[in-house]
Amino acid sequence: MSNLPPSRPKPFLEPAYCKGCLRCIEACPRECITPGTEINPVTGLVPVILHLENCNGCTLCVQACPEPFGLRIDPTHGGLEGEFRLEDPEKLFGKKIVEVLTTGDLPDTQIPLPDCEPLVLKGTYASAVGALLAGCRHVYGYPITPSTEGAELMAKMLPKLGGSWIQAVSEVAAVNMMYGTGGAGLPVMTFTSSPGFSLMLEGISYMIGAEVPGVFVNIMRGGPGLGNIAPEQTDIKLACRGLGHGNTHALVFAPSTPQEMLDLTIDAFALSFRYRNPVVVLGDGYLGQMTGVVKLPSHLLKPGLPAWAVWGDRAHRHNLVNSIHLSEPDLEAHNENLNAKYAAMGACQQRSDLYRCEDAEVLVVACNTPARMAKGAVEVARSRGIKAGLFRPITLWPFPIGALKELLPQVTQIVVVEASPGQLEDELRLALSHADVATPPITHVRRFGGILPQQSEILARIEETQGALV
Amino acid sequence: MSTNVFYDHFERHSHGQGLKGHSTHYCAGCGHGIVHRSLAEVIGELGVQDRTVLISPVGCSVFAHYYFDVGNSQAAHGRAPAVALGHKLANPGAIVISYQGDGDLASIGLAETISIAQMGLPITVVFVNNAIYGMTGGQLAPTSLMGQKTATSVEGRTPAMGRPLKMAELMAQLDGPVYVERVALFDARQRMKARKALRKALQLQIEGRGYAFIEVLAECPTHLKMSPEHAEAWVREEMVPVFPLGTKKDLTVEPWFHPAAPSFEPEKILGLSGAEPVEVNKEPPIPHIPGLEDICLKLAGAGGDGAQTAALLLARAAIAEGYDATHIPSYGPESRGGTSYADVHIAAGEVLNPAAAEPDILVAFNAPSLAKFAGSVPPGGLILYDSTVITTPPEVPSDRRVLGVPFTQLAREISRPMVKNVVALGALQAATGLLPPERILSTLRQLLKDKPSMLPVNETAFLAGQRAVESMVAVP
């Protein structure tokens, strides 16, 4: 140490930035630092005192200081920069693997798809193909029946498309991988089923809190607990009202055909990025397995990179994906922003499908596969002279109350059909209550345990309502 | 020595007001600050500030994003490696650092820690082990020492609370990591070694050589209830004997991480999309069973009978013919040999209800399936069953057609018992006129295009089924 040039710069300390931990004292071989004796009036702490007569600029004290603005090299002294100048990193490590972007916001690109005959696909496959067309190349998940085929198809295709399928150690890990890739600004998704979705809820709350996009395809199965692998609709409550802790909401889609599995998965990605929020696609076990005809869209999407992405390059360096806001006013303001977003989703994203509702007096409300049984029942009821119609919510959150409200004046009876003990009806009643409209009598057909309401029992209930009215 | 990887002003620390704009939230003498400084210096020296993404999960270092002027992501407790992996896969050029404490890495996040290390992707995990929970106020950590008194081990840690987890050793015996070292901060020499280890770990990532794990024995004077000086001595004298310092693993690996860029070529995606495009008949469909706009079938048997394949073939053929069609499989819990039922609908317009609770046509491959579903077939319906394995015809009202065809025997006669499902399709076609035979055969050819050697057998099977029915009954 003694042969170091005498001109070597010496440390300095702004006393207010010293917490008086004294770790530098032990570090200094020349005993240049002593404990302070005076309380600093700004901090209330006792900073150390430097006696630099013997200092040879070894910087060991600086390396011992835990505070970034604590002990530092005297910036007025200069000289060090030259001695420690680095080689060009490219020369040392080769060219960077991925070119860093120079603009903050890189737009998406629409690539035309050639005209193509329709595909015959099962629901989970249709969703997977939809995700690929929406530009998703990152899929993380954990095998769980009856959603696994979607993941299996991705595992087969993604390696050939320069994408990543990761079978995570658990759904908990999978959702946090989504948090990473979504936070980096790229489309990301998972396929899961009810017990797995439960495990992901904490991560979904973090994604909502940190405003990270991502698509969750949940092929619902029988519950609670391990339940069974047959279709149910008993995650409606979780998706609409229980996305983890805190003030959370996400768009919840309820497809009822393989075609909608594809279409709504594509829309889910777009809306996930528009709102910087997760989107849930709720299917049921039947729909996941059901094969049907699927037409492809005219374009596929090559995703760009949003300005907010944590990509790590200079253009995005200041970005932060974060859900911790220690100051109460900050967290309240953050929640106000989230609420404004939820309100915008509620106003702009209600979707429903109306089948023979034009003069319907008996309105059947159903979604997913049970909506198809209900459609069959409505058709037969019509053939028997009953003015029945099917109101099918495509978004469960927000509930499409706007379209429903318009039908209500003519409706004398609502029949809610669901594979759950009333979770859809709860959403309906809550929406009606918030809308503050007079509610017609509501009856229902509810099956669960993996059994779907059958067309015959729906028809019987529709006919019963007629009996009651006569 | 460059420290410019820290922000000039800590805007995120209480809005950068007053002293907080230039001081950390860490207690006096905390080891985190020293690791932060070393890490910041190393990032600067290696010239990767504009590529770095730092993951700071729950723990005292959850606010690392207050200080590091790099891309930042704050993660849930224990999940930092998963988040790090998500970043690395999204942007393989990023230098991703997972900075975790002992509760995060060695307790709640143990599964993520180990499983992601085993993947071996080049990320850097910095594990700050101070043998105690800091953020929640001094509780037992997975790395607390035996006998150590904490807020939740009031009389000292006992074996019943678990023994201290030696993470560096555990990680070193995994095949995933290329470099594992345990370092400390208690004197100048250790701090230099720590800095060197951090630099090496990052370098391995920059060069695409692999996953590195650096465990840093750090001081938590506040919760150890010691002066920083005593905390340093405690780490040296108490922790080091339990957690020996040094390199635990150091493999020489050539750079290997060169992931391909994602592809967005339409042809490639269509080619991989899991299904062949169907050439749909552009002529308006004509229902082949007059009076039925929606035909509903159930094909039922045991796994291996081929009910699902036959059902799917039927649905595809119908769609190609211009109808709407659906197929829903239903299986028992067994992976092989359990029950296997398929519901198929074929409709001139739209299939409304895809379930087959009351099938117009039941195709039964075994006796239990026949017994289960024969009663659900409505008047006017058809029950077609394998008379090789079902010797007693079902007892159903006379307004249901019942037809026994020896699917299995006919398949055996062409020495392929497995094609009994195609025999059944031939029989079904002949008995009902459902879909033109040429459409079923062309769909069969399309499905078998990768196994052309199987085609003649299947065609023979289809014809055998047809002929069997034609010889038995007059076609309606």
Side-chain angles (χ1 to χ4, degrees), chain A residues 16-17 19-21 23 26-27 42-43 59-60 62-72 80-81 84 86 89 92-93 96-98 100 111-114 116-121 125 129 132-133 135 137-138 140 153 157 160-164 166-170 172-173 176-177 179-181 183-184 186 202 206 286 289-293 296 300-303 310-314 316-324 326-327 330 355 369 372-373 375-376 379 454-456, chain B residues 1 6-8 10 12 15 19 22-31 33-34 37 44-47 49-53 58 62-63 65-66 69-77 79 82-83 85-87 89-94 111-112 115-116 119 185-188 191-192 203 206-207 219 228 232 257 259-264 266-270 272-280 282 312 316 319 324-329 331 343 350-355 357-358:
Chain A
Y17 300 149
K19 290 179 174 171
C21 77
R23 292 190 75 149
E26 165 269 332
V42 182
T43 63
T59 74
L60 291 175
V62 174
Q63 288 166 31
C65 178
E67 282 295 313
F69 287 91
L71 278 165
R72 286 190 293 167
L80 264 184
E81 282 295 301
F84 283 79
L86 283 165
L92 279 174
F93 309 118
K96 287 180 189 178
I97 297 168
V98 166
V100 295
I111 300 173
L113 272 181
C116 183
E117 296 288 349
L119 305 179
V120 179
L121 292 174
Y125 283 8
V129 172
L132 290 178
L133 298 177
R137 295 293 177 273
H138 295 85
Y140 311 129
L153 188 64
M157 291 193 288
K160 294 171 182 159
L161 294 170
S164 301
I166 298 286
Q167 182 168 321
V169 70
S170 68
V172 176
N176 283 284
M177 292 172 188
Y179 184 93
T181 296
L186 294 188
E202 182 210 32
Y206 274 79
Y286 248 42
Q289 299 287 332
M290 189 196 304
T291 297
V293 66
L296 297 184
L300 69 85
L301 196 88
K302 181 183 179 186
V310 176
W311 193 254
D313 61 329
R314 182 166 298 175
H316 298 85
R317 200 169 86 198
H318 196 68
N319 290 338
L320 168 67
V321 162
N322 172 50
S323 67
I324 186 166
L326 218 49
S327 114
D330 286 355
Y355 181 73
T369 301
R372 302 193 68 173
M373 284 71 172
K375 209 171 188 178
E379 193 60 25
Q454 285 307 316
Q455 181 172 319
S456 53
Chain B
M1 192 174 304
F6 287 124
Y7 290 116
D8 290 339
F10 302 148
R12 289 173 178 146
H15 300 280
L19 279 175
H22 289 96
S23 66
T24 67
H25 70 288
Y26 295 113
C27 307
C30 175
I34 297 173
R37 276 187 86 139
E45 282 174 20
L46 294 173
Q49 183 180 12
D50 278 334
R51 293 165 66 185
T52 297
V53 173
V58 173
V62 70
F63 300 117
H65 59 266
Y66 286 175
D69 183 6
V70 297
N72 279 289
S73 180
Q74 173 268 318
H77 199 21
R79 317 302 167 210
V83 176
L85 188 82
H87 274 280
L89 293 172
N91 178 7
E112 282 80 0
S115 62
I116 286 158
M119 292 178 194
L185 307 169
F186 56 73
D187 63 28
R191 288 187 287 267
M192 269 197 236
Q203 204 155 335
I206 293 166
E207 295 167 4
E219 296 78 13
E232 285 180 347
F257 185 64
S263 160
F264 297 93
E267 291 74 16
K268 208 166 172 182
I269 295 165
L270 290 181
L272 287 167
S273 60
E276 288 293 314
V278 186
E279 280 175 35
V280 175
K282 298 291 194 269
L312 191 60
R316 289 180 64 115
I319 288 167
D324 189 18
T326 56
H327 161 224
I328 305 177
Y331 306 96
D343 288 4
E350 175 196 1
V351 174
L352 300 177
N353 174 5
E358 294 172 7

Side-chain angles (χ1 to χ4, degrees), chain A residues 334-384:
Chain A
H334 178 55
N335 272 282
E336 294 291 1
N337 288 339
L338 293 179
N339 288 340
K341 216 159 71 168
Y342 301 152
M345 292 180 207
C348 307
Q349 299 303 333
Q350 294 182 19
R351 293 194 199 182
S352 55
D353 179 45
L354 278 55
Y355 181 73
R356 307 202 72 170
C357 283
E358 58 288 348
D359 59 347
E361 291 166 2
V362 181
L363 194 65
V364 181
V365 178
C367 63
N368 296 130
T369 301
R372 302 193 68 173
M373 284 71 172
K375 209 171 188 178
V378 163
E379 193 60 25
V380 179
R382 282 274 173 180
S383 73
R384 297 179 186 176

Side-chain angles (χ1 to χ4, degrees), chain A residues 141-166:
Chain A
Y142 187 87
I144 182 163
T145 309
S147 74
T148 315
E149 285 97 335
E152 286 174 352
L153 188 64
M154 287 301 201
K156 194 172 129 195
M157 291 193 288
L158 283 172
K160 294 171 182 159
L161 294 170
S164 301
W165 150 258
I166 298 286

Side-chain angles (χ1 to χ4, degrees), chain B residues 141-146 157 162-166 242-243:
Chain B
T143 51
S144 293
L145 303 184
M146 294 309 291
R157 185 174 197 168
R163 282 118 171 134
L165 205 45
K166 300 174 182 66
V242 179
F243 302 109

